[in-house]
């Protein structure tokens, strides 16, 4: 079993006075494509920071590269539902995980699996980034509460709290906002940034920015970088792709 390390579930970052802050959607083992997106935005690792809505692994061909990325001091992901499988690798429904793209993990030696799990267990469920325009929240799927403060309080409950797992799972799995076109804002935040549900182009519901434009889907998706200072996206519009969707 893994040690019971103290997990910080909500991590706060001070404003970045030296460079730019970006958020990116689900990566799913496509780090070469991600790097290309960063290059085209002129990303400067000396001063810029990249926040990620999680789902770093599964499905794509470069899942093992994630450890190199986690070692980069400017790369700050939250935990997605696929990342959570890694955290729970020794207790989760492995068959269901393999079905959802987890075969790469099943092929690792046990001590390698354990190393991935140790690192992934450090991923916070939510990140807060201070910007000149106000506080921005990042979570994989959604903040289902009226306020971020409410969600934060729930996430900071002790491990023994029965609601904790439920709340964590809504943060990592919920699609209700997108499915219901729910435009109710998270009232105490400038913006909340999420991924999890692939979109043809970025969408804003209330003040919740959905930025997973399926950069991990060859031919039909692309990586969107959201500038957390300006809330503008790079690219600004959907590029021409070989396949389209309705
Ligand atoms: Mn997801």
């Amino acid at each position: 079993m893994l040690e019971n390390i103290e997990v910080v579930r909500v991590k706060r970052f001070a404003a970045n006075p030296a460079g730019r802050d970006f958020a990116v959607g689900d990566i799913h083992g496509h780090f070469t494509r991600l790097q290309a997106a960063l290059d085209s935005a002129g990303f400067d690792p000396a001063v810029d920071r990249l926040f990620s809505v999680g789902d770093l692994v599964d499905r794509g061909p470069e899942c093992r590269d994630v450890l190199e990325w986690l070692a980069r001091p400017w790369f700050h992901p939250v935990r997605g539902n696929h990342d959570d499988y890694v955290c729970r690798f020794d207790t989760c429904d492995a068959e269901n995980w393999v079905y959802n793209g987890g075969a790469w993990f099943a092929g690792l030696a046990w001590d390698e699996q354990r190393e991935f799990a140790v690192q992934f267990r450090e991923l916070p469920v939510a990140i807060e980034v201070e910007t000149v325009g106000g506080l921005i929240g990042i979570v994989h799927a959604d903040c289902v509460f009226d306020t971020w403060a409410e969600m934060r309080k729930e996430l900071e409950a002790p491990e023994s709290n029965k609601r904790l797992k439920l709340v964590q799972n809504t943060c990592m799995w919920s699609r209700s906002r997108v499915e219901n076109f729910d435009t109710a804002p998270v009232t105490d935040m400038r913006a909340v940034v999420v991924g999890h549900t692939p979109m043809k182009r970025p969408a804003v519901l209330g003040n919740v920015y959905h930025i997973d434009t399926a950069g991990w889907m060859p031919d039909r998706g692309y990586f969107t970088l959201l500038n957390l200072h300006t809330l503008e996206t790079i690219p600004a519009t959907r590029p021409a792709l070989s396949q389209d969707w309705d």
Side-chain angles (χ1 to χ4, degrees):
M1 285 299 290
L2 295 163
E3 313 82 4
N4 250 334
I5 51 167
E6 191 55 46
V7 181
V8 178
R9 297 191 204 95
V10 184
K11 207 168 167 184
R12 178 85 166 238
F13 289 84
N16 179 2
R20 298 175 297 169
D21 286 341
F22 293 102
V24 69
D26 302 20
I27 297 165
H28 284 306
H30 277 280
F31 293 100
T32 301
R33 287 167 69 104
L34 173 61
Q35 186 59 58
L38 293 174
D39 291 346
S40 60
F43 184 87
D44 180 355
V47 289
D48 297 339
R49 298 186 295 195
L50 179 65
F51 295 90
S52 146
V53 301
D55 274 4
L56 307 173
V57 294
D58 293 352
R59 300 191 175 128
E62 300 161 345
C63 294
R64 298 182 64 134
D65 293 355
V66 69
L67 295 186
E68 273 168 49
W69 281 73
L70 290 176
R72 295 177 178 164
W74 45 264
F75 182 60
H76 306 292
V78 296
R79 187 187 303 188
N81 55 305
H82 285 266
D83 311 313
D84 196 47
Y85 277 124
V86 176
C87 300
R88 298 178 297 111
F89 80 103
D90 50 354
T91 54
C92 73
D93 179 347
E95 198 179 321
N96 183 44
W97 183 14
V98 167
Y99 179 76
N100 284 298
W104 70 279
F105 192 89
L108 299 175
W110 194 84
D111 58 337
E112 285 181 299
Q113 294 183 334
R114 193 177 175 285
E115 177 57 22
F116 275 88
V118 165
Q119 300 241 13
F120 274 54
R121 282 183 134 209
E122 288 183 24
L123 297 176
V125 176
I127 280 178
E128 301 169 344
V129 186
E130 294 170 6
T131 71
V132 173
L135 195 60
I136 294 190
I138 301 171
V139 69
H140 179 60
D142 199 7
C143 169
V144 299
F145 298 88
D146 294 337
T147 65
W148 184 267
E150 237 175 300
M151 185 193 76
R152 175 189 243 282
K153 189 164 171 255
E154 297 270 7
L155 287 177
E156 289 182 335
E159 196 75 46
S160 56
N161 187 306
K162 288 196 175 69
R163 280 174 57 87
L164 178 61
K165 192 162 183 282
L166 179 75
V167 171
Q168 280 199 131
N169 282 340
T170 64
C171 293
M172 291 187 286
W173 289 89
S174 177
R175 294 190 208 276
S176 59
R177 182 183 301 271
V178 178
E179 286 170 354
N180 302 324
F181 299 101
D182 180 359
T183 57
V186 180
T187 57
D188 54 349
M189 299 297 272
R190 178 185 177 204
V192 172
V193 183
V194 302
H196 187 53
T197 304
M199 315 291 277
K200 186 173 179 181
R201 52 178 63 85
V204 189
L205 289 170
N207 61 346
V208 181
Y209 286 67
H210 294 75
I211 62 164
D212 179 23
T213 45
W216 49 276
M217 278 188 192
D219 306 326
R220 23 183 341 217
Y222 63 102
F223 279 117
T224 291
L225 296 175
L226 179 71
N227 182 316
L228 298 184
H229 177 60
T230 63
L231 294 177
E232 292 169 340
T233 60
I234 300 175
T237 56
R238 182 177 167 82
L241 298 165
S242 61
Q243 282 181 44
D244 225 323
W245 60 5
D246 296 327

